[in-house]
Amino acid sequence: MLLRHTGKEIMERKALTINPAKTCQPIGAMYAALGIHGCLPHSHGSQGCCAYHRSALTRHYREPVMAATSSFTEGASVFGGQANLLQAINNIFTTYEPEVIAVHTTCLSETIGDDVNQIARKALLDGKIPEGKTVIHAATPSYVGSHVTGFANMVKAMFDQFAVKTDEKNGKLNIVPGFVEPSDMTEIKRVAAAMGVETIMVPDTSGILNGPQTGKYRMYPEGGVTVEELRSAGAGIGTLALGELASAPAARSLDNRCKVPCRVLDLPIGLAATDRFVDGLRKIAGVNVPDSLTFERGQLIDIVTDMHQYFYGKKVAISGDPDQLIPLVEFLASIDMIPSHIVTGTPGKKFEKRIKEITKDVPGTVNVKAGGDLFMLHQWMKNEPVDLLICNTYGKYIARDEDVPMIRMGFPIFDRVGHSYHPTTCYKGGIRILEKILDALLERADRDAPEESFELVI
Ligand code: SF4
């Protein structure tokens, strides 16, 4: 009963967020930066911000996340952080020898107006950036948007500051996967490779934040998109951006600057969105869909057929990031579940419009809110109870309070392990989502079944 004060009466709130459904911009920027091989993310602000962002990522991925900080104190807060950042760049290249430093700002450095572009140029002119090394930077004020915005800004900075415009094509397709698990990046690359499409994934945290235990610590694990690949992104045959919020800004910017045609699709979560992804790969690269993928698709359909009787008419409350929620809600509606309450913490009216289109044939009222919070989701659940909650770790308090089964999806997940090793994207990921949902529903049915109908076979 931790949330026992949550009432049923819903009041209009503009200036107050209760139990946020998002986290701050630099976390997304830091996560994206870790997807460059040999990159050390750098937080231009106070130590507290950097410590929080590192610990959030470390707890979610269960890997030691390294990042540096400009360590603002009172002096830097008043006079600006240029001296701190110049010193930091010098120290980092001397001591930790990364290929790239990816600087993101914080609320404080944005508020005092530090011009990181100018500071990075000064570092170059002062000889603090060794030959062949690079400093990139993104503005990530946390009072705007969410961790998704921060991710999008850092990926855009990668294309803007690395990709070189050229008339020659490298025959490769750039894929911007969005703020997804490393396992999803592996899965998306696997599907593209199965279709014979050569790709450059920007960023690519697979192998970095879900790597093996080798007994040896490596500050820069194998994996990640290389600087060479980032430079050649400007010679790509096209860019596939998976997600309007996390991925599209970078792809559109590359299109404008380097004339690499971009296409924006939903994340391949569920059957229809994965079909669109596979079709997008087929059209852009001019390839055929192999039998192996048709087989996987058929397996997903078979599972839907086998499980449909348990999904039919079950109401779901969902919170997460917009790029994930759009295809997930579409998937749930397609298997005759009822997505009743949908909240994302990231603002954006387009999200609400899209969800309304997807759910127009869903029976009953569908509540949807972009820029909402988990308090609102809880209130909706109190007024219109559901059979299942899909949320990040913070949903567990609501699930316990309402005695509703819950499955964990999205970011952050602090209280379960394994999510960074198993994809929820593409056909195989769809099977995993369905398995998780069915397990949660049937566990609850078993728990509540009277002894005479506690069945061995269902
Ligand atoms: S919200 Fe702003 S001040 Fe707080 S941790 Fe994030 S960047 Fe730092």
Side-chain angles (χ1 to χ4, degrees), residues 23-27 43 46 48-50 52-53 104-108 140-143:
T23 183
C24 74
Q25 273 216 46
I27 288 186
S43 170
S46 63
C49 296
C50 186
Y52 164 54
H53 305 146
H104 59 262
T105 54
T106 57
C107 297
L108 178 54
T140 52
S142 207
Y143 35 79

PDB file of all heavy atoms in Angstrom, residues 23-27 43 46 48-50 52-53 104-108 140-143, ligand 1:
ATOM      1  N   THR A  23      13.028   9.967 -17.496  1.00  0.00           N
ATOM      2  CA  THR A  23      14.180  10.442 -16.741  1.00  0.00           C
ATOM      3  C   THR A  23      14.899  11.506 -17.567  1.00  0.00           C
ATOM      4  O   THR A  23      14.365  11.951 -18.579  1.00  0.00           O
ATOM      5  CB  THR A  23      15.075   9.264 -16.302  1.00  0.00           C
ATOM      6  OG1 THR A  23      16.133   9.763 -15.508  1.00  0.00           O
ATOM      7  CG2 THR A  23      15.639   8.510 -17.484  1.00  0.00           C
ATOM      8  N   CYS A  24      16.094  11.929 -17.142  1.00  0.00           N
ATOM      9  CA  CYS A  24      16.603  13.178 -17.715  1.00  0.00           C
ATOM     10  C   CYS A  24      17.442  12.978 -18.978  1.00  0.00           C
ATOM     11  O   CYS A  24      17.996  11.910 -19.230  1.00  0.00           O
ATOM     12  CB  CYS A  24      17.302  14.013 -16.662  1.00  0.00           C
ATOM     13  SG  CYS A  24      18.889  13.457 -16.143  1.00  0.00           S
ATOM     14  N   GLN A  25      17.516  14.034 -19.772  1.00  0.00           N
ATOM     15  CA  GLN A  25      18.142  13.993 -21.109  1.00  0.00           C
ATOM     16  C   GLN A  25      19.533  13.375 -21.117  1.00  0.00           C
ATOM     17  O   GLN A  25      19.828  12.533 -21.973  1.00  0.00           O
ATOM     18  CB  GLN A  25      18.224  15.413 -21.682  1.00  0.00           C
ATOM     19  CG  GLN A  25      17.008  15.881 -22.427  1.00  0.00           C
ATOM     20  CD  GLN A  25      17.386  16.769 -23.623  1.00  0.00           C
ATOM     21  OE1 GLN A  25      18.285  16.449 -24.403  1.00  0.00           O
ATOM     22  NE2 GLN A  25      16.692  17.866 -23.779  1.00  0.00           N
ATOM     23  N   PRO A  26      20.442  13.782 -20.219  1.00  0.00           N
ATOM     24  CA  PRO A  26      21.813  13.260 -20.322  1.00  0.00           C
ATOM     25  C   PRO A  26      21.916  11.736 -20.213  1.00  0.00           C
ATOM     26  O   PRO A  26      22.865  11.140 -20.729  1.00  0.00           O
ATOM     27  CB  PRO A  26      22.531  13.939 -19.149  1.00  0.00           C
ATOM     28  CG  PRO A  26      21.790  15.208 -18.939  1.00  0.00           C
ATOM     29  CD  PRO A  26      20.357  14.866 -19.214  1.00  0.00           C
ATOM     30  N   ILE A  27      20.953  11.084 -19.577  1.00  0.00           N
ATOM     31  CA  ILE A  27      21.021   9.612 -19.488  1.00  0.00           C
ATOM     32  C   ILE A  27      20.935   9.009 -20.892  1.00  0.00           C
ATOM     33  O   ILE A  27      21.685   8.095 -21.245  1.00  0.00           O
ATOM     34  CB  ILE A  27      19.905   9.074 -18.571  1.00  0.00           C
ATOM     35  CG1 ILE A  27      20.244   9.411 -17.125  1.00  0.00           C
ATOM     36  CG2 ILE A  27      19.702   7.569 -18.752  1.00  0.00           C
ATOM     37  CD1 ILE A  27      19.317   8.839 -16.093  1.00  0.00           C
ATOM     38  N   SER A  43      30.138  14.322 -18.925  1.00  0.00           N
ATOM     39  CA  SER A  43      29.008  15.116 -18.457  1.00  0.00           C
ATOM     40  C   SER A  43      29.509  16.509 -18.073  1.00  0.00           C
ATOM     41  O   SER A  43      30.302  16.649 -17.137  1.00  0.00           O
ATOM     42  CB  SER A  43      28.404  14.401 -17.239  1.00  0.00           C
ATOM     43  OG  SER A  43      27.475  15.213 -16.611  1.00  0.00           O
ATOM     44  N   SER A  46      27.810  19.255 -12.872  1.00  0.00           N
ATOM     45  CA  SER A  46      28.313  18.917 -11.532  1.00  0.00           C
ATOM     46  C   SER A  46      28.477  17.402 -11.382  1.00  0.00           C
ATOM     47  O   SER A  46      27.942  16.624 -12.166  1.00  0.00           O
ATOM     48  CB  SER A  46      27.339  19.440 -10.483  1.00  0.00           C
ATOM     49  OG  SER A  46      26.110  18.784 -10.638  1.00  0.00           O
ATOM     50  N   GLY A  48      27.258  15.427  -9.217  1.00  0.00           N
ATOM     51  CA  GLY A  48      26.034  14.719  -8.840  1.00  0.00           C
ATOM     52  C   GLY A  48      25.260  14.226 -10.045  1.00  0.00           C
ATOM     53  O   GLY A  48      24.747  13.103 -10.049  1.00  0.00           O
ATOM     54  N   CYS A  49      25.166  15.068 -11.092  1.00  0.00           N
ATOM     55  CA  CYS A  49      24.453  14.650 -12.308  1.00  0.00           C
ATOM     56  C   CYS A  49      25.110  13.404 -12.879  1.00  0.00           C
ATOM     57  O   CYS A  49      24.460  12.402 -13.163  1.00  0.00           O
ATOM     58  CB  CYS A  49      24.495  15.760 -13.367  1.00  0.00           C
ATOM     59  SG  CYS A  49      23.638  17.258 -12.894  1.00  0.00           S
ATOM     60  N   CYS A  50      26.434  13.476 -13.049  1.00  0.00           N
ATOM     61  CA  CYS A  50      27.162  12.371 -13.683  1.00  0.00           C
ATOM     62  C   CYS A  50      27.008  11.087 -12.864  1.00  0.00           C
ATOM     63  O   CYS A  50      26.798  10.003 -13.422  1.00  0.00           O
ATOM     64  CB  CYS A  50      28.635  12.763 -13.820  1.00  0.00           C
ATOM     65  SG  CYS A  50      29.595  11.559 -14.743  1.00  0.00           S
ATOM     66  N   TYR A  52      24.570  10.246 -10.922  1.00  0.00           N
ATOM     67  CA  TYR A  52      23.199   9.737 -11.070  1.00  0.00           C
ATOM     68  C   TYR A  52      23.027   9.026 -12.416  1.00  0.00           C
ATOM     69  O   TYR A  52      22.487   7.917 -12.498  1.00  0.00           O
ATOM     70  CB  TYR A  52      22.201  10.894 -10.927  1.00  0.00           C
ATOM     71  CG  TYR A  52      20.825  10.577 -11.439  1.00  0.00           C
ATOM     72  CD1 TYR A  52      20.134   9.460 -10.977  1.00  0.00           C
ATOM     73  CD2 TYR A  52      20.215  11.381 -12.392  1.00  0.00           C
ATOM     74  CE1 TYR A  52      18.872   9.158 -11.472  1.00  0.00           C
ATOM     75  CE2 TYR A  52      18.965  11.082 -12.886  1.00  0.00           C
ATOM     76  CZ  TYR A  52      18.297   9.964 -12.419  1.00  0.00           C
ATOM     77  OH  TYR A  52      17.059   9.658 -12.920  1.00  0.00           O
ATOM     78  N   HIS A  53      23.536   9.657 -13.478  1.00  0.00           N
ATOM     79  CA  HIS A  53      23.355   9.064 -14.809  1.00  0.00           C
ATOM     80  C   HIS A  53      24.104   7.743 -14.919  1.00  0.00           C
ATOM     81  O   HIS A  53      23.589   6.756 -15.467  1.00  0.00           O
ATOM     82  CB  HIS A  53      23.837  10.036 -15.893  1.00  0.00           C
ATOM     83  CG  HIS A  53      23.180  11.378 -15.801  1.00  0.00           C
ATOM     84  ND1 HIS A  53      23.816  12.543 -16.116  1.00  0.00           N
ATOM     85  CD2 HIS A  53      21.945  11.715 -15.373  1.00  0.00           C
ATOM     86  CE1 HIS A  53      22.985  13.564 -15.913  1.00  0.00           C
ATOM     87  NE2 HIS A  53      21.853  13.081 -15.460  1.00  0.00           N
ATOM     88  N   HIS A 104      28.111  15.849 -23.219  1.00  0.00           N
ATOM     89  CA  HIS A 104      26.721  16.325 -23.174  1.00  0.00           C
ATOM     90  C   HIS A 104      26.595  17.330 -22.039  1.00  0.00           C
ATOM     91  O   HIS A 104      27.316  17.256 -21.052  1.00  0.00           O
ATOM     92  CB  HIS A 104      25.736  15.166 -23.001  1.00  0.00           C
ATOM     93  CG  HIS A 104      25.970  14.372 -21.764  1.00  0.00           C
ATOM     94  ND1 HIS A 104      26.660  13.190 -21.738  1.00  0.00           N
ATOM     95  CD2 HIS A 104      25.622  14.617 -20.478  1.00  0.00           C
ATOM     96  CE1 HIS A 104      26.721  12.729 -20.508  1.00  0.00           C
ATOM     97  NE2 HIS A 104      26.108  13.577 -19.723  1.00  0.00           N
ATOM     98  N   THR A 105      25.688  18.252 -22.212  1.00  0.00           N
ATOM     99  CA  THR A 105      25.516  19.276 -21.187  1.00  0.00           C
ATOM    100  C   THR A 105      24.509  18.793 -20.136  1.00  0.00           C
ATOM    101  O   THR A 105      23.950  17.704 -20.251  1.00  0.00           O
ATOM    102  CB  THR A 105      25.028  20.595 -21.815  1.00  0.00           C
ATOM    103  OG1 THR A 105      23.848  20.309 -22.576  1.00  0.00           O
ATOM    104  CG2 THR A 105      26.078  21.211 -22.710  1.00  0.00           C
ATOM    105  N   THR A 106      24.309  19.601 -19.125  1.00  0.00           N
ATOM    106  CA  THR A 106      23.337  19.295 -18.060  1.00  0.00           C
ATOM    107  C   THR A 106      22.509  20.568 -17.818  1.00  0.00           C
ATOM    108  O   THR A 106      22.758  21.605 -18.429  1.00  0.00           O
ATOM    109  CB  THR A 106      24.065  18.922 -16.753  1.00  0.00           C
ATOM    110  OG1 THR A 106      24.918  20.010 -16.412  1.00  0.00           O
ATOM    111  CG2 THR A 106      24.877  17.646 -16.900  1.00  0.00           C
ATOM    112  N   CYS A 107      21.575  20.484 -16.903  1.00  0.00           N
ATOM    113  CA  CYS A 107      20.727  21.658 -16.615  1.00  0.00           C
ATOM    114  C   CYS A 107      21.589  22.873 -16.260  1.00  0.00           C
ATOM    115  O   CYS A 107      21.356  23.977 -16.745  1.00  0.00           O
ATOM    116  CB  CYS A 107      19.800  21.365 -15.439  1.00  0.00           C
ATOM    117  SG  CYS A 107      18.639  20.049 -15.763  1.00  0.00           S
ATOM    118  N   LEU A 108      22.597  22.634 -15.424  1.00  0.00           N
ATOM    119  CA  LEU A 108      23.390  23.756 -14.920  1.00  0.00           C
ATOM    120  C   LEU A 108      24.190  24.430 -16.037  1.00  0.00           C
ATOM    121  O   LEU A 108      24.129  25.649 -16.213  1.00  0.00           O
ATOM    122  CB  LEU A 108      24.324  23.247 -13.806  1.00  0.00           C
ATOM    123  CG  LEU A 108      25.268  24.263 -13.180  1.00  0.00           C
ATOM    124  CD1 LEU A 108      24.526  25.484 -12.663  1.00  0.00           C
ATOM    125  CD2 LEU A 108      26.059  23.617 -12.050  1.00  0.00           C
ATOM    126  N   THR A 140      21.988  18.959 -24.060  1.00  0.00           N
ATOM    127  CA  THR A 140      20.953  18.090 -23.476  1.00  0.00           C
ATOM    128  C   THR A 140      20.395  18.693 -22.183  1.00  0.00           C
ATOM    129  O   THR A 140      20.573  18.129 -21.098  1.00  0.00           O
ATOM    130  CB  THR A 140      21.528  16.681 -23.202  1.00  0.00           C
ATOM    131  OG1 THR A 140      22.729  16.801 -22.432  1.00  0.00           O
ATOM    132  CG2 THR A 140      21.838  15.944 -24.475  1.00  0.00           C
ATOM    133  N   PRO A 141      19.731  19.851 -22.302  1.00  0.00           N
ATOM    134  CA  PRO A 141      19.128  20.445 -21.100  1.00  0.00           C
ATOM    135  C   PRO A 141      17.973  19.584 -20.612  1.00  0.00           C
ATOM    136  O   PRO A 141      17.069  19.261 -21.382  1.00  0.00           O
ATOM    137  CB  PRO A 141      18.618  21.800 -21.600  1.00  0.00           C
ATOM    138  CG  PRO A 141      18.380  21.606 -23.068  1.00  0.00           C
ATOM    139  CD  PRO A 141      19.388  20.600 -23.529  1.00  0.00           C
ATOM    140  N   SER A 142      18.001  19.234 -19.339  1.00  0.00           N
ATOM    141  CA  SER A 142      17.029  18.240 -18.883  1.00  0.00           C
ATOM    142  C   SER A 142      15.660  18.820 -18.570  1.00  0.00           C
ATOM    143  O   SER A 142      14.734  18.073 -18.292  1.00  0.00           O
ATOM    144  CB  SER A 142      17.570  17.513 -17.666  1.00  0.00           C
ATOM    145  OG  SER A 142      17.001  16.242 -17.619  1.00  0.00           O
ATOM    146  N   TYR A 143      15.532  20.128 -18.636  1.00  0.00           N
ATOM    147  CA  TYR A 143      14.201  20.704 -18.426  1.00  0.00           C
ATOM    148  C   TYR A 143      13.388  20.717 -19.723  1.00  0.00           C
ATOM    149  O   TYR A 143      12.309  21.281 -19.788  1.00  0.00           O
ATOM    150  CB  TYR A 143      14.284  22.115 -17.814  1.00  0.00           C
ATOM    151  CG  TYR A 143      15.462  22.941 -18.276  1.00  0.00           C
ATOM    152  CD1 TYR A 143      15.442  23.575 -19.505  1.00  0.00           C
ATOM    153  CD2 TYR A 143      16.598  23.047 -17.475  1.00  0.00           C
ATOM    154  CE1 TYR A 143      16.534  24.320 -19.930  1.00  0.00           C
ATOM    155  CE2 TYR A 143      17.695  23.782 -17.900  1.00  0.00           C
ATOM    156  CZ  TYR A 143      17.662  24.412 -19.115  1.00  0.00           C
ATOM    157  OH  TYR A 143      18.747  25.128 -19.550  1.00  0.00           O
TER     158      TYR A 143
HETATM  159  S1  SF4 B   1      17.683  16.754 -14.166  1.00  0.00           S
HETATM  160 FE1  SF4 B   1      19.355  18.199 -14.602  1.00  0.00          FE
HETATM  161  S2  SF4 B   1      20.285  18.596 -12.584  1.00  0.00           S
HETATM  162 FE2  SF4 B   1      19.059  16.725 -12.388  1.00  0.00          FE
HETATM  163  S3  SF4 B   1      20.491  15.022 -12.809  1.00  0.00           S
HETATM  164 FE3  SF4 B   1      19.482  15.557 -14.757  1.00  0.00          FE
HETATM  165  S4  SF4 B   1      20.893  16.997 -15.732  1.00  0.00           S
HETATM  166 FE4  SF4 B   1      21.450  16.927 -13.547  1.00  0.00          FE
END
